[in-house]
Amino acid sequence: MNYWPLLGVAVIVIGFALRFNAVPVVVCAALVSGLLAGLHLPDLLALLGRSFVSSRMLLLFVLTLPAIGLLEHAGLREHAQQWMGRLRGLTFARLLIGYLLVREGLAMLGLTGIAGAAQTVRPLLAPMGEAAAEKLHPGLSDADRDEVRAVAAATDNIGRFFGEDVFIALGAVLLIQSFYAQHGIDLTPLSIALWALPTAIVAFVIQSVRVYLFQRRLARRAQEAGA
């Protein structure tokens, strides 16, 4: 068996570790894997072109960016922070855990495009998270705010990543099925989705605990700053 094409994975790891632009890194990794697998350069470029054309519908989310930009210009983030400040019973942990539950549930139904980093995290979830964190720690530093935003983004990513595999019509599930079929293992999309369900539940519990522990760290920092 030829293991040389796996060097494309190493290219991706090194490129991301060095913080290079993701697009050229992925393209270079594809070229490396394809050439080491024995594909000729014209065939490899044709394959990349067909892959881009077949997945061009994924770029539709770009159309939402101008609308989100206009809403932010009109003060959406500020209104979200003010609204969060009036909800005294909604803590940082409750906000993110509730969002994680909704995000993962929608992903399980195949509704992955309803929320996301551009649609909800930046204009809504992150500002609301900052407002909730300020209830615990009024003197949030820039580093604390960056950490709050990172936790909000991670919550969205985890909810989608582990929830979407439960949806049987997802392309990733069909890819898993075809991979096993090539190796003589017959699996139905439903069986793959059922096996993904416990993983999604465990991911929800782990991320919920992480969010709660982060809230406790914020409270502890507030106490130390007050002392």
Side-chain angles (χ1 to χ4, degrees):
M1 184 178 291
N2 183 14
Y3 291 101
W4 287 109
L6 294 178
L7 285 178
V9 179
V11 173
I12 291 180
V13 172
I14 294 173
F16 286 178
L18 296 177
R19 298 181 180 275
F20 292 152
N21 189 288
V23 174
V25 168
V26 172
V27 172
C28 289
L31 292 174
V32 169
S33 296
L35 293 174
L36 292 177
L39 292 175
H40 298 291
L41 185 58
D43 297 334
L44 182 57
L45 293 177
L47 177 61
L48 289 175
R50 288 194 301 270
S51 301
F52 174 78
V53 171
S54 62
S55 60
R56 64 185 183 277
M57 295 297 292
L58 297 176
L59 297 177
L60 286 178
F61 80 94
V62 177
L63 298 177
T64 65
L65 298 181
I68 295 172
L70 288 174
L71 290 174
E72 288 195 19
H73 182 71
L76 178 62
R77 292 170 58 89
E78 290 75 12
H79 284 296
Q81 287 179 327
Q82 294 174 3
W83 181 54
M84 186 64 199
R86 292 194 294 266
L87 299 176
R88 297 184 178 181
L90 189 58
T91 63
F92 178 81
R94 291 175 182 174
L95 171 68
L96 290 191
I97 293 173
Y99 178 85
L100 176 62
L101 178 63
V102 174
R103 179 65 160 141
E104 198 164 354
L106 290 175
M108 290 179 182
L109 299 176
L111 303 175
T112 58
I114 292 180
Q119 302 97 308
T120 52
V121 175
R122 174 182 167 82
L124 290 175
L125 186 63
M128 292 175 69
E130 290 181 41
E134 287 176 348
K135 297 179 183 178
L136 295 171
H137 188 3
L140 278 179
S141 63
D142 292 338
D144 292 332
R145 293 184 184 277
D146 288 339
E147 197 169 358
V148 168
R149 296 165 186 165
V151 173
T155 301
D156 177 83
N157 287 334
I158 291 171
R160 170 173 177 165
F161 183 83
F162 289 98
E164 64 183 4
D165 287 340
V166 182
F167 184 60
I168 60 175
L170 183 73
V173 174
L174 301 178
L175 177 63
I176 295 171
Q177 182 192 21
S178 63
F179 175 80
Y180 279 107
Q182 292 174 0
H183 292 79
I185 302 174
D186 293 328
L187 291 175
T188 63
L190 180 59
S191 62
I192 296 173
L194 291 177
W195 277 105
L197 183 59
T199 307
I201 295 174
V202 172
F204 173 81
V205 173
I206 292 175
Q207 180 61 14
S208 298
V209 172
R210 292 181 67 236
V211 170
Y212 178 73
L213 293 177
F214 177 72
Q215 177 177 273
R216 291 187 60 182
R217 287 201 303 271
L218 284 178
R220 188 161 55 248
R221 292 174 191 172
Q223 293 177 355
E224 293 173 356

